[in-house]
Amino acid sequence: MGAVVVVGTHWGDEAKGKFVDLLGQDADVVIRYGGGPNAGHTVVVDDQTYKFHLVPCGILNPKTLCLMADGMALDPEILVKELDELEARGIRTANLRLSANAHVVLTYHKQLDALEEAAKGERALGTTGRGVGPCYVDKAARTGIRMGDLANPQRLKERLEAVLPQKNAVLTKIYDAAPLDLNALLEQLRPLGERLAPLVTDTSALASEAVAAGKAVVFEGAQATMLDIDTGTYPYVTSSHPVAGGACIGTGVPPTKIDQVLGVVKAYTTRVGAGTFPTELLDERGERIRERGHEYGTTTGRPRRCGWLDTVVLRFAARTNGLTGICVGHLDVLAGFPTVSICTMYQKNGHLLRDFPAGDVSLLDGCEPVYEEMPGWPEGIGNVARFEELPPAAQAYVRRVEELAGVPVVMASIGPRRDQTLVPPDMPPPRALFSAPRGVPVGPRVPAR
Ligand code: IMO
Ligand code: MG
């Protein structure tokens, strides 16, 4: 058995939840390693749809231990609501543990998220407004409140006594907003702390034990490579480390213990919020993808920007995450176009760029996508049972994505349900990923770039 990291390759919403859920059925442990309620992971099981913001998707498997690890920003209100909703639907949540080191998103983080965005005006990032950025700011400033504090009323009081005056100074003096009252805040947090305290523990020890014991462990990525605060399109990024390396930073599991890294990529590309997006389609083709793919944010309901698949970004994601396999999703959504385009390179000032110009974000200015056009495939592929039964054009598209990425495709998805997942004929079943040799792609095909 082994440790498999699942990461988004572009700007989020790649359907990481679906693939984590698939692997989660064979996993002993599923760990969320970063981000907070800015994530929105949708999982469909039979006729039931679950929308997760914080809780790892592995919770749907009653035997799986689910950890919310050090790197996360937890909003206790949203977490308790999510747990209550799951329990009400008959999902046991007793196997969940929360890291004492995870940071707590508080009321003032949410206020500051909104106030800072409003102050930025036209340069606003288009955050999810969940207070996640300001929470990580406090983590880096060492003024954060952690789950261990929330679980200990005396310590929580001491920490807030130290931090709140500074927060109130910012709220009142910079933003002309009302100050927060310490006692009211403590009153609001008390029942949440009491409820969550029994779950708070050293998740790093639990994760390390599981990995050392050779258990099947899935690291559930949230956000995505291009939203990573260092790797992504700064400043239009989130404030954490969604990349595969974040799975180590965020959990305490060392890099030498990670076996496989799966990149989840949609058959097209989307982005929500501001920032560069070279293959964005601002015409009816983008509109068609949005409507057919229900490309509206799970967390905020915002319409997502849609465009052709950008494999310049995909190759960058392959490099920065060390991808050993990719999962291509939403082939059903791209169906029905007479032809589909894939961005293979950028061009700028007459030069072709095969590699993503990550050295400086301004290098992206003026980059135009270079497309390869391929035949489209007809609609109605949602009930295809085997990869080989997909229309030849859809199979060819998946193979081309694989070639351009330089990473083998281990799964392809034709709809949100578990059974709408196809494994290419020469690939082993998903559970074999847990026993694949460390750092080496599974299956016989290691495509040349
Ligand atoms: P999942 O896990 C897509 C984007 C926001 C915004 C930027 C910063 O569902 O893929 P933040 O609230 O994090 O400070 O916002 O990051 N963003 C996401 N976009 N999917 C997500 O998560 C995202 N999480 C954050 O839209 O542009
Ligand atoms: Mg999402």
Side-chain angles (χ1 to χ4, degrees):
M1 291 292 120
V4 179
V5 180
V6 177
V7 291
T9 53
H10 287 73
W11 285 280
D13 305 320
E14 293 91 351
K16 297 173 287 292
K18 168 169 177 166
F19 293 99
V20 169
D21 170 61
L22 276 169
L23 291 168
Q25 292 170 75
D26 294 306
D28 300 302
V29 187
V30 176
I31 314 177
R32 264 272 313 256
Y33 59 83
N38 45 354
H41 297 172
T42 305
V43 177
V44 178
V45 182
D46 303 325
D47 58 349
Q48 297 287 312
T49 300
Y50 301 91
K51 290 184 190 293
F52 296 99
H53 296 292
L54 283 168
V55 176
C57 304
I59 205 81
L60 296 175
N61 181 349
K63 291 198 286 284
T64 304
L65 173 66
C66 288
L67 306 179
M68 297 170 70
D70 306 355
M72 288 194 72
L74 301 188
D75 182 325
E77 250 173 3
I78 296 180
L79 178 56
V80 164
K81 188 161 167 271
E82 210 165 292
L83 292 176
D84 285 346
E85 281 170 7
L86 285 166
E87 289 284 351
R89 293 176 71 177
I91 306 293
R92 263 185 84 237
T93 62
N95 284 343
L96 182 70
R97 297 289 177 274
L98 315 172
S99 168
N101 292 347
H103 278 252
V104 182
V105 181
L106 294 162
T107 313
Y108 51 76
H109 294 131
K110 289 177 262 195
Q111 283 177 297
L112 287 170
D113 200 349
L115 292 165
E116 285 165 8
E117 280 283 272
K120 285 189 178 118
E122 278 191 352
R123 286 189 302 277
L125 302 184
T127 71
T128 58
R130 295 296 184 95
V132 173
C135 176
Y136 282 122
V137 166
D138 279 2
K139 168 176 170 171
R142 292 153 294 183
T143 50
I145 306 293
R146 306 209 288 183
M147 287 303 287
D149 302 322
L150 182 72
N152 178 332
Q154 185 53 34
R155 224 164 74 200
L156 179 65
K157 184 164 177 280
E158 285 164 16
R159 289 290 292 158
L160 280 173
E161 274 169 354
V163 171
L164 197 60
Q166 182 214 353
K167 293 293 156 197
N168 277 338
V170 174
L171 284 171
T172 56
K173 293 184 186 159
I174 296 185
Y175 294 110
D176 213 8
L180 290 170
D181 176 65
L182 174 68
N183 288 328
L185 189 56
L186 287 170
E187 263 321 288
Q188 179 216 338
L189 293 172
R190 195 177 43 82
L192 298 167
E194 281 169 8
R195 166 86 184 266
L196 297 174
L199 309 181
V200 176
T201 186
D202 176 1
T203 55
S204 149
L206 295 174
S208 298
E209 273 164 29
V211 169
K215 300 253 172 86
V217 181
V218 179
F219 296 80
E220 175 177 340
Q223 289 74 51
T225 307
M226 302 314 280
L227 291 173
D228 185 281
I229 191 157
D230 286 323
T231 311
T233 45
Y234 192 91
Y236 297 99
V237 292
T238 192
S239 303
S240 61
H241 290 293
V243 291
C248 297
I249 299 172
T251 62
V253 172
T256 46
K257 300 293 186 205
I258 304 295
D259 294 295
Q260 293 279 307
V261 182
L262 293 189
V264 183
V265 55
K266 278 196 273 218
Y268 49 91
T269 298
T270 64
R271 176 162 204 178
V272 59
T276 186
F277 181 3
T279 63
E280 181 171 15
L281 290 169
L282 295 166
D283 55 15
E284 69 285 350
R285 294 171 301 177
E287 186 62 32
R288 178 187 159 92
I289 294 174
R290 181 160 40 251
E291 291 314 314
R292 290 181 46 97
H294 313 293
E295 292 293 355
Y296 294 87
T298 311
T299 304
T300 59
R302 289 178 291 174
R304 296 181 186 139
R305 302 155 66 194
C306 300
W308 298 122
L309 175 58
D310 186 334
T311 66
V312 182
V313 168
L314 182 58
R315 277 192 298 276
F316 180 64
R319 168 163 81 78
T320 51
N321 294 293
L323 299 183
T324 55
I326 49 180
C327 306
V328 181
H330 292 75
L331 284 169
D332 52 316
V333 174
L334 210 55
F337 279 105
T339 60
V340 291
S341 298
I342 305 188
C343 166
T344 57
M345 289 181 277
Y346 298 154
Q347 62 179 345
K348 182 173 173 175
N349 304 330
H351 295 286
L352 291 175
L353 280 82
R354 196 169 182 282
D355 295 324
F356 187 78
D360 184 324
V361 77
S362 69
L363 292 173
L364 268 174
D365 295 344
C367 277
E368 292 290 332
V370 176
Y371 288 117
E372 194 172 284
E373 205 170 56
M374 296 184 72
W377 51 92
E379 299 188 46
I381 60 169
N383 290 321
V384 166
R386 282 152 35 97
F387 186 88
E388 306 90 294
E389 289 164 16
L390 279 174
Q395 292 186 44
Y397 185 81
V398 173
R399 293 302 189 208
R400 189 67 186 126
V401 173
E402 174 176 86
E403 272 172 12
L404 289 164
V407 179
V409 170
V410 294
M411 284 183 261
S413 165
I414 49 169
R417 295 194 318 263
R418 284 175 175 171
D419 65 355
Q420 290 175 307
T421 313
L422 309 173
V423 176
D426 44 2
M427 282 291 157
R431 64 176 172 279
L433 291 163
F434 292 115
S435 43
R438 185 160 294 166
V440 179
V442 293
R445 277 173 300 112
V446 182
R449 288 215 212 159

